[in-house]
Short mmCIF file of all heavy atoms in Angstrom, two decimals:
data_model
loop_
_atom_site.label_atom_id
_atom_site.label_comp_id
_atom_site.label_asym_id
_atom_site.label_seq_id
_atom_site.Cartn_x
_atom_site.Cartn_y
_atom_site.Cartn_z
N SER M 1 19.53 0.36 5.59
CA SER M 1 18.80 1.62 5.56
C SER M 1 17.34 1.46 5.99
O SER M 1 16.58 0.70 5.37
CB SER M 1 18.84 2.21 4.14
OG SER M 1 17.91 3.26 3.99
N ASP M 2 16.94 2.17 7.01
CA ASP M 2 15.54 2.16 7.44
C ASP M 2 14.63 2.73 6.35
O ASP M 2 13.49 2.26 6.17
CB ASP M 2 15.37 2.96 8.74
CG ASP M 2 16.00 2.27 9.94
OD1 ASP M 2 16.18 1.02 9.88
OD2 ASP M 2 16.32 2.96 10.93
N LEU M 3 15.12 3.74 5.64
CA LEU M 3 14.33 4.32 4.55
C LEU M 3 14.04 3.28 3.48
O LEU M 3 12.89 3.13 3.02
CB LEU M 3 15.05 5.52 3.95
CG LEU M 3 14.43 6.11 2.68
CD1 LEU M 3 13.02 6.63 2.96
CD2 LEU M 3 15.32 7.21 2.11
N MET M 4 15.07 2.53 3.07
CA MET M 4 14.88 1.53 2.03
C MET M 4 13.98 0.39 2.51
O MET M 4 13.15 -0.13 1.76
CB MET M 4 16.23 0.97 1.58
CG MET M 4 17.11 1.98 0.85
SD MET M 4 16.41 2.56 -0.73
CE MET M 4 15.91 4.24 -0.28
N LYS M 5 14.10 0.02 3.78
CA LYS M 5 13.23 -1.03 4.34
C LYS M 5 11.77 -0.56 4.32
O LYS M 5 10.86 -1.35 4.02
CB LYS M 5 13.66 -1.36 5.76
CG LYS M 5 15.01 -2.06 5.86
CD LYS M 5 15.41 -2.25 7.32
CE LYS M 5 16.80 -2.82 7.45
NZ LYS M 5 17.24 -2.92 8.87
N ALA M 6 11.55 0.71 4.63
CA ALA M 6 10.19 1.24 4.63
C ALA M 6 9.62 1.25 3.22
O ALA M 6 8.44 0.92 3.00
CB ALA M 6 10.18 2.64 5.23
N ILE M 7 10.44 1.65 2.25
CA ILE M 7 9.98 1.66 0.86
C ILE M 7 9.66 0.24 0.41
O ILE M 7 8.65 0.00 -0.27
CB ILE M 7 11.04 2.30 -0.05
CG1 ILE M 7 11.17 3.80 0.27
CG2 ILE M 7 10.69 2.10 -1.52
CD1 ILE M 7 12.30 4.48 -0.47
N ALA M 8 10.51 -0.71 0.79
CA ALA M 8 10.28 -2.11 0.41
C ALA M 8 8.95 -2.61 0.97
O ALA M 8 8.19 -3.30 0.28
CB ALA M 8 11.43 -2.98 0.90
N THR M 9 8.66 -2.27 2.22
CA THR M 9 7.39 -2.67 2.82
C THR M 9 6.23 -2.05 2.06
O THR M 9 5.21 -2.72 1.77
CB THR M 9 7.34 -2.25 4.30
OG1 THR M 9 8.40 -2.89 5.01
CG2 THR M 9 6.01 -2.62 4.92
N GLY M 10 6.38 -0.79 1.72
CA GLY M 10 5.33 -0.11 0.95
C GLY M 10 5.12 -0.73 -0.42
O GLY M 10 3.99 -0.81 -0.92
N MET M 11 6.20 -1.20 -1.03
CA MET M 11 6.08 -1.82 -2.35
C MET M 11 5.31 -3.13 -2.26
O MET M 11 4.50 -3.45 -3.14
CB MET M 11 7.47 -2.05 -2.95
CG MET M 11 8.18 -0.77 -3.32
SD MET M 11 9.84 -1.02 -3.95
CE MET M 11 9.48 -1.63 -5.58
N ASP M 12 5.52 -3.90 -1.20
CA ASP M 12 4.76 -5.14 -1.04
C ASP M 12 3.27 -4.84 -0.86
O ASP M 12 2.40 -5.56 -1.39
CB ASP M 12 5.29 -5.93 0.15
CG ASP M 12 6.46 -6.83 -0.24
OD1 ASP M 12 6.70 -7.02 -1.44
OD2 ASP M 12 7.14 -7.33 0.67
N LEU M 13 2.96 -3.78 -0.12
CA LEU M 13 1.55 -3.39 0.05
C LEU M 13 0.97 -2.93 -1.28
O LEU M 13 -0.17 -3.26 -1.63
CB LEU M 13 1.44 -2.27 1.09
CG LEU M 13 1.79 -2.66 2.53
CD1 LEU M 13 1.80 -1.42 3.42
CD2 LEU M 13 0.81 -3.70 3.07
N ALA M 14 1.78 -2.20 -2.06
CA ALA M 14 1.30 -1.67 -3.34
C ALA M 14 1.07 -2.78 -4.36
O ALA M 14 0.27 -2.62 -5.29
CB ALA M 14 2.29 -0.65 -3.88
N LYS M 15 1.76 -3.90 -4.20
CA LYS M 15 1.59 -5.01 -5.13
C LYS M 15 0.17 -5.58 -5.09
O LYS M 15 -0.25 -6.30 -5.99
CB LYS M 15 2.62 -6.11 -4.86
CG LYS M 15 4.01 -5.79 -5.38
CD LYS M 15 4.99 -6.89 -5.08
CE LYS M 15 4.76 -8.11 -5.94
NZ LYS M 15 5.05 -7.84 -7.37
N THR M 16 -0.55 -5.23 -4.04
CA THR M 16 -1.96 -5.63 -3.98
C THR M 16 -2.75 -5.00 -5.12
O THR M 16 -3.72 -5.57 -5.63
CB THR M 16 -2.58 -5.19 -2.63
OG1 THR M 16 -1.81 -5.73 -1.57
CG2 THR M 16 -4.02 -5.65 -2.51
N PHE M 17 -2.29 -3.82 -5.55
CA PHE M 17 -2.99 -3.07 -6.60
C PHE M 17 -2.28 -3.14 -7.95
O PHE M 17 -2.88 -2.83 -8.98
CB PHE M 17 -3.14 -1.61 -6.17
CG PHE M 17 -3.77 -1.45 -4.82
CD1 PHE M 17 -2.99 -1.24 -3.70
CD2 PHE M 17 -5.15 -1.53 -4.67
CE1 PHE M 17 -3.57 -1.11 -2.44
CE2 PHE M 17 -5.73 -1.40 -3.43
CZ PHE M 17 -4.94 -1.19 -2.30
N SER M 18 -1.00 -3.52 -7.94
CA SER M 18 -0.24 -3.58 -9.19
C SER M 18 0.80 -4.68 -9.09
O SER M 18 1.61 -4.70 -8.17
CB SER M 18 0.47 -2.24 -9.46
OG SER M 18 1.34 -2.35 -10.56
N ASN M 19 0.79 -5.59 -10.07
CA ASN M 19 1.77 -6.68 -10.05
C ASN M 19 3.01 -6.36 -10.88
O ASN M 19 3.81 -7.24 -11.17
CB ASN M 19 1.13 -7.99 -10.54
CG ASN M 19 0.62 -7.87 -11.98
OD1 ASN M 19 0.85 -6.86 -12.65
ND2 ASN M 19 -0.08 -8.90 -12.43
N THR M 20 3.15 -5.09 -11.29
CA THR M 20 4.32 -4.70 -12.08
C THR M 20 5.50 -4.30 -11.21
O THR M 20 6.62 -4.16 -11.71
CB THR M 20 3.97 -3.54 -13.02
OG1 THR M 20 3.58 -2.40 -12.24
CG2 THR M 20 2.84 -3.92 -13.96
N LEU M 21 5.27 -4.10 -9.92
CA LEU M 21 6.35 -3.69 -9.03
C LEU M 21 7.21 -4.89 -8.64
O LEU M 21 6.72 -6.01 -8.54
CB LEU M 21 5.77 -3.05 -7.76
CG LEU M 21 5.03 -1.72 -7.93
CD1 LEU M 21 4.35 -1.34 -6.63
CD2 LEU M 21 5.98 -0.63 -8.40
N PRO M 22 8.51 -4.66 -8.40
CA PRO M 22 9.34 -5.77 -7.92
C PRO M 22 8.96 -6.14 -6.49
O PRO M 22 8.36 -5.34 -5.77
CB PRO M 22 10.76 -5.19 -7.98
CG PRO M 22 10.58 -3.71 -7.85
CD PRO M 22 9.27 -3.41 -8.55
N SER M 23 9.30 -7.33 -6.09
CA SER M 23 9.06 -7.73 -4.70
C SER M 23 10.01 -6.95 -3.80
O SER M 23 11.03 -6.42 -4.24
CB SER M 23 9.30 -9.22 -4.54
OG SER M 23 10.68 -9.52 -4.71
N SER M 24 9.68 -6.91 -2.51
CA SER M 24 10.56 -6.22 -1.56
C SER M 24 11.93 -6.89 -1.53
O SER M 24 12.96 -6.22 -1.39
CB SER M 24 9.93 -6.22 -0.16
OG SER M 24 9.69 -7.54 0.28
N LYS M 25 11.96 -8.21 -1.68
CA LYS M 25 13.24 -8.94 -1.68
C LYS M 25 14.10 -8.51 -2.87
O LYS M 25 15.29 -8.21 -2.71
CB LYS M 25 12.97 -10.45 -1.73
CG LYS M 25 14.24 -11.31 -1.76
CD LYS M 25 13.88 -12.79 -1.76
CE LYS M 25 15.11 -13.67 -1.92
NZ LYS M 25 16.04 -13.54 -0.79
N ASP M 26 13.50 -8.47 -4.06
CA ASP M 26 14.25 -8.03 -5.24
C ASP M 26 14.70 -6.58 -5.09
O ASP M 26 15.83 -6.23 -5.42
CB ASP M 26 13.40 -8.18 -6.50
CG ASP M 26 13.37 -9.61 -7.00
OD1 ASP M 26 14.17 -10.44 -6.51
OD2 ASP M 26 12.53 -9.91 -7.88
N PHE M 27 13.80 -5.73 -4.59
CA PHE M 27 14.13 -4.32 -4.41
C PHE M 27 15.34 -4.15 -3.50
O PHE M 27 16.24 -3.36 -3.78
CB PHE M 27 12.92 -3.58 -3.84
CG PHE M 27 13.20 -2.14 -3.49
CD1 PHE M 27 13.33 -1.18 -4.48
CD2 PHE M 27 13.33 -1.75 -2.16
CE1 PHE M 27 13.60 0.15 -4.15
CE2 PHE M 27 13.59 -0.43 -1.83
CZ PHE M 27 13.73 0.53 -2.82
N MET M 28 15.37 -4.90 -2.40
CA MET M 28 16.44 -4.76 -1.44
C MET M 28 17.73 -5.45 -1.87
O MET M 28 18.83 -4.98 -1.54
CB MET M 28 16.00 -5.31 -0.07
CG MET M 28 14.91 -4.50 0.60
SD MET M 28 15.41 -2.80 1.01
CE MET M 28 16.65 -3.09 2.28
N GLU M 29 17.61 -6.56 -2.61
CA GLU M 29 18.80 -7.38 -2.88
C GLU M 29 19.36 -7.23 -4.28
O GLU M 29 20.51 -7.61 -4.52
CB GLU M 29 18.46 -8.85 -2.63
CG GLU M 29 18.12 -9.16 -1.18
CD GLU M 29 17.81 -10.63 -0.96
OE1 GLU M 29 17.87 -11.42 -1.94
OE2 GLU M 29 17.50 -10.99 0.20
N ARG M 30 18.59 -6.66 -5.22
CA ARG M 30 19.06 -6.62 -6.61
C ARG M 30 19.23 -5.22 -7.16
O ARG M 30 20.08 -5.00 -8.03
CB ARG M 30 18.08 -7.38 -7.51
CG ARG M 30 18.01 -8.87 -7.28
CD ARG M 30 17.01 -9.51 -8.24
NE ARG M 30 17.29 -9.11 -9.63
CZ ARG M 30 16.36 -8.96 -10.56
NH1 ARG M 30 15.08 -9.16 -10.26
NH2 ARG M 30 16.69 -8.61 -11.78
N PHE M 31 18.43 -4.26 -6.69
CA PHE M 31 18.37 -2.96 -7.33
C PHE M 31 19.08 -1.88 -6.52
O PHE M 31 18.90 -1.78 -5.31
CB PHE M 31 16.91 -2.53 -7.54
CG PHE M 31 16.16 -3.41 -8.50
CD1 PHE M 31 15.20 -4.29 -8.04
CD2 PHE M 31 16.42 -3.36 -9.85
CE1 PHE M 31 14.49 -5.11 -8.91
CE2 PHE M 31 15.74 -4.17 -10.75
CZ PHE M 31 14.77 -5.05 -10.28
N ALA M 32 19.87 -1.06 -7.22
CA ALA M 32 20.42 0.15 -6.63
C ALA M 32 19.34 1.23 -6.64
O ALA M 32 18.50 1.26 -7.53
CB ALA M 32 21.64 0.62 -7.41
#
């Protein structure tokens, strides 16, 4: 999914401001 890939990229950028978010790898590979 391009949408999910875009969200994952955004989450990695957001981790600059918050370390509570999962990594893009975890988001894509572990979470529904």
Side-chain angles (χ1 to χ4, degrees):
S1 167
D2 290 337
L3 172 62
M4 293 296 107
K5 292 175 185 176
I7 292 173
T9 299
M11 292 177 75
D12 274 347
L13 293 173
K15 283 179 73 67
T16 304
F17 306 98
S18 172
N19 61 7
T20 62
L21 294 171
S23 68
S24 59
K25 179 178 174 64
D26 281 348
F27 174 74
M28 292 298 293
E29 296 181 1
R30 293 180 51 212
F31 295 107

